[in-house]
Amino acid sequence: MSPVGWNIPRWLSPAVFGLWGMVLLYLVMTGRYTVSLRPEFGMLLGLAHFVALGCMLALLCVPATAHRGPAGVLRLLIVLLPLVSIMGLQQNMQLSGQSFKKRFLGLGDPSWTADGDGSDGGRGGRRAAISQDLAPSDGVTERTVMEILRNAAGFHGQRVAVLGMLVQDEQILQQYGADIAVLYRFLISCCAADARPVAVAVRTPVGYSPQAEQWVRVEGTFVIAELRGNRVPLLDEAVISPTEQPAFPYLF
Amino acid sequence: MTPPGLPLWQAPPAPAPRQDSWLPAAFFLLAAVLLLFFRPGGDNSLNIIFAAIVLEALPFMLVGALLGGIFETFVSRERMTRLLPRRGWLTVCLAAGMGLVFPVCECAVVPVVRRLVRKGLPPGAAVAYLLGAPIVNPVVAVSTALAYRLDWQVVGLRLGLGYAIAVVIGLLLGRFADRGPIFTPDLAAAAGRLDFEHCSHGHGCGCHASPPAGSVAGPLAGDWLDGFLVRLGQVFRHAAEDFLGVAHYLVIGAFIAALAQSWLDRAAVMTLTGLPLFSILFMMLLAIALNLCSESDAFIAASFSVMMPLSAQLAFMLTGPMFDLKLLLMYQGLFRRRIILLLSSLILLAVLAASAGYGAWTGTRP
């Protein structure tokens, strides 16, 4: 009888299911799967955990017949590859600014422009105060980018506070103007693979330069402005302050 | 019958199992590990997206495999075949929708169709079930609905167009089969004969064992709990075998999709998708290359929703379950080569026509 160590495929198949079952349980218990998925997926992952454990028990009783030889073992290792990737994910991980640049298609999303009233409050708008070290003023309701964009007309002219990340690069400067940055968060339908940035323009104070991968709270007056021929949602008179990453970095 | 030249006491030699090359798998593992763990600038996007796609698809793969195991264990295919008319267009129409009650993904459907053909299912109906079942089934409907945030129009379009394509191609190949055999010679010769040589698992599972001694009406009639546990073990064993048979395709597909998601510049891609038919052809090629399971591919298609029109996403969701690289190989065990060529051409043409027709009709954009 060959030692267990020489009969790798016999034990690797149930081990694949056992490891997946344990990792799924760990992800559900810690909530770490929300780095990549909507919170609602926890129930499905929990169900998958039970199926994986059932498969492990079945293969422990009667060994799998497939996956013999080096190719079979390598295929099983391929099935384990995502576990290494998943266990490397940290709770505070998020899609990078590079992802924003790859996915950003501009501020002129037609889904909100229909709701906007088209007023031009931001054209030649007032310069923001020097603001980075100013405390946000009291009594301003915190909103998400999506809430504001979905009801652009309702928020027009109102003072709002929005969490997100600011980015300012050559393309944005050329397209919208020298004092404009873009405040964004990722909206996901199911998982990070379908993440798309939803964003508003922010008129930044003179000399302000956003830091990469830094979460900020921007308090400003929401208007629909025309910037270099583009009608865009804009936070004017902005007060920008660094803040902690929210528990769920994504919008759903 | 013993082959000539062999003594009577010696069993005929079993055909040597095909040895898969380990090089492609090793190359993939090495490349994936390098790309995942030696990334420039500490960008985590590839890791996050890869994990997202796998975690999103995994529950559906496992539950789909479990459903397949339940049907394999508790529903006899002979009974299902008896329910179908033996000939005619009605058989094809029924077979194309049989996935609703016998859901399987495209990887599991090939051995099932081999079994059904052996039991005398008409060729046209077998082709219709082969193409229809991986799309027209409840697991695919639910996963598509979740991927598209309960957009039932997408679910209806996917299942409706998939059903229509399966029926049309089933009828065409059924007519073709009247002129000559379409299945491999061994399959055609074995039609009607019951055997278990193509069971995808070892016979130690007990699936085909006779009822225990003393049992009147099968294992569940004796010790109920023991019988139930045996059946449950068979269900999970079938599920495990089915899952392991396709899981590595999912991981490879998810990794390629994650690479595409991480590296593709959407603004650049959007300029290309403005060309007529380009986006549809691009998504069809992607579906063929990614080899995704039909129970999870909707999530990949949905991830392209901001880059591609719905017609192109539909092309992706219709092509993959009917024709991709791994199916091209699996079809070799079912059809003659000229039929594979014909079937592949028909599938691609039908998907292109259906998707382009839908796109032209609605002008839908993301």
Side-chain angles (χ1 to χ4, degrees):
Chain A
M1 182 180 167
S2 62
V4 170
W6 290 102
N7 195 3
I8 294 173
R10 165 71 180 89
W11 302 106
L12 191 54
S13 299
V16 165
F17 285 104
L19 286 169
W20 262 110
M22 284 193 292
V23 169
L24 289 173
L25 182 64
Y26 167 77
L27 290 174
V28 173
M29 298 293 282
T30 60
R32 190 164 285 190
Y33 66 93
T34 54
V35 171
S36 296
L37 295 173
R38 288 175 71 99
E40 294 89 336
F41 267 85
M43 197 174 65
L44 279 171
L45 294 178
L47 176 65
H49 150 76
F50 286 113
V51 178
L53 290 187
C55 291
M56 179 192 72
L57 291 174
L59 290 185
L60 280 175
C61 295
V62 183
T65 53
H67 297 277
R68 301 276 190 227
V73 171
L74 284 171
R75 280 199 290 268
L76 290 174
L77 291 178
I78 287 174
V79 179
L80 288 176
L81 179 69
L83 296 184
V84 185
S85 180
I86 288 166
M87 295 311 289
L89 296 179
Q90 303 298 318
Q91 187 66 57
N92 59 352
M93 271 190 178
Q94 58 187 336
L95 291 175
S96 66
Q98 283 298 320
S99 294
F100 168 77
K101 290 177 182 173
K102 301 276 187 193
R103 293 158 187 249
F104 184 55
L105 296 173
L107 291 164
D109 187 338
S111 64
W112 61 265
T113 49
D115 294 334
D117 64 4
S119 63
D120 196 14
R123 189 186 301 174
R126 290 156 287 178
R127 168 66 66 181
I130 299 295
S131 53
Q132 196 165 7
D133 49 359
L134 291 179
S137 56
D138 295 333
V140 176
T141 312
E142 204 164 272
R143 302 287 184 177
T144 66
V145 183
M146 274 311 293
E147 283 177 309
I148 294 171
L149 294 183
R150 281 180 176 157
N151 188 17
F155 281 105
H156 187 81
Q158 286 192 23
R159 196 87 181 148
V160 291
V162 187
L163 289 188
M165 282 190 283
L166 270 178
V167 65
Q168 192 175 43
D169 60 16
E170 280 301 315
Q171 192 178 353
I172 289 170
L173 295 177
Q174 283 179 4
Q175 196 168 357
Y176 301 114
D179 55 350
I180 298 297
V182 167
L183 179 74
Y184 73 92
R185 281 181 80 171
F186 282 108
L187 171 72
I188 68 174
S189 300
C190 289
C191 72
D194 61 44
R196 49 183 166 162
V198 286
V200 293
V202 175
R203 193 183 300 281
T204 57
V206 176
Y208 179 82
S209 178
Q211 289 184 3
E213 315 293 331
Q214 169 71 58
W215 280 85
V216 293
R217 180 181 190 270
V218 178
E219 185 186 317
T221 304
F222 178 75
V223 290
I224 296 165
E226 189 165 324
L227 300 174
R228 296 195 173 172
N230 305 295
R231 287 183 68 246
V232 299
L234 174 74
L235 290 176
D236 211 348
E237 302 173 298
V239 177
I240 303 167
S241 52
T243 187
E244 293 294 313
Q245 177 180 318
F248 292 112
Y250 304 114
L251 300 173
F252 304 110
Chain B
M1 180 181 170
T2 308
L6 286 175
L8 287 174
W9 48 267
Q10 183 179 352
R18 190 168 60 87
Q19 290 293 318
D20 294 333
S21 170
W22 54 271
L23 274 173
F27 177 77
F28 169 77
L29 268 176
L30 185 66
V33 167
L34 285 175
L35 285 166
L36 281 171
F37 299 106
F38 298 95
R39 50 190 180 272
D43 185 357
N44 298 313
S45 301
L46 179 63
N47 260 8
I48 293 174
I49 295 170
F50 177 48
I53 296 173
V54 172
L55 284 177
E56 191 179 44
L58 190 79
F60 292 99
M61 288 269 293
L62 282 169
V63 171
L66 188 67
L67 281 177
I70 290 170
F71 276 93
E72 178 70 27
T73 305
F74 290 101
V75 181
S76 81
R77 298 191 186 99
E78 293 89 339
R79 173 176 292 179
M80 199 170 61
T81 307
R82 275 201 303 271
L83 295 175
L84 291 173
R86 292 286 297 176
R87 290 194 182 278
W89 60 270
L90 188 60
T91 316
V92 173
C93 293
L94 281 174
M98 208 157 63
L100 289 172
V101 291
F102 192 69
V104 284
C105 66
E106 75 274 22
C107 301
V109 77
V110 173
V112 173
V113 168
R114 281 182 68 95
R115 192 75 55 83
L116 291 173
V117 169
R118 285 167 185 273
K119 295 186 192 329
L121 189 70
V127 171
Y129 179 65
L130 178 78
L131 302 182
I135 296 179
V136 189
N137 85 50
V139 182
V140 170
V142 170
S143 66
T144 307
L146 281 177
Y148 283 88
R149 305 185 76 180
L150 302 182
D151 186 341
W152 297 105
Q153 184 200 3
V154 177
V155 179
L157 279 169
R158 184 182 193 189
L159 268 63
L161 289 174
Y163 178 80
I165 291 171
V167 167
V168 168
I169 296 179
L171 288 171
L172 281 172
L173 279 189
R175 294 293 295 272
F176 207 82
D178 292 340
R179 300 178 189 171
I182 65 169
F183 296 112
T184 53
D186 67 311
L187 193 58
R193 178 166 57 87
L194 287 175
D195 61 37
F196 302 112
E197 68 177 283
H198 294 281
C199 189
S200 61
H201 52 270
H203 294 143
C205 70
C207 302
H208 314 300
S210 300
S215 165
V216 177
L220 290 177
D223 185 338
W224 185 88
L225 185 60
D226 281 355
F228 175 75
L229 288 176
V230 167
R231 290 288 196 184
L232 195 63
Q234 291 169 1
V235 167
F236 276 104
R237 191 182 147 66
H238 283 297
E241 292 276 6
D242 286 350
F243 178 82
L244 288 181
V246 294
H248 59 285
Y249 289 122
L250 170 77
V251 173
I252 295 169
F255 189 77
I256 295 170
L259 278 178
Q261 294 281 331
S262 302
W263 289 351
L264 278 182
D265 189 322
R266 295 190 176 189
V269 172
M270 286 294 283
T271 59
L272 292 175
T273 57
L275 299 172
L277 290 183
F278 180 87
S279 55
I280 292 175
L281 290 170
F282 173 81
M283 291 299 273
M284 287 172 70
L285 281 175
L286 199 64
I288 293 168
L290 290 185
N291 296 284
L292 295 179
C293 180
S294 64
E295 287 157 8
S296 58
D297 61 357
F299 294 104
I300 309 294
S303 71
F304 283 90
S305 57
V306 293
M307 305 160 72
M308 299 287 177
L310 181 56
S311 55
Q313 296 166 54
L314 277 172
F316 181 89
M317 291 188 286
L318 292 172
T319 304
M322 296 185 182
F323 179 71
D324 60 25
L325 292 177
K326 69 175 184 299
L327 280 174
L328 182 63
L329 297 175
M330 293 171 80
Y331 284 163
Q332 312 248 359
L334 196 56
F335 298 110
R336 290 163 195 261
R337 288 196 174 169
R338 62 192 170 91
I339 300 299
I340 294 176
L341 188 64
L342 176 66
L343 180 66
S344 309
S345 308
L346 286 173
I347 290 169
L348 295 178
L349 281 174
V351 171
L352 182 64
S355 306
Y358 174 76
W361 180 51
T362 60
T364 304
R365 301 298 300 174

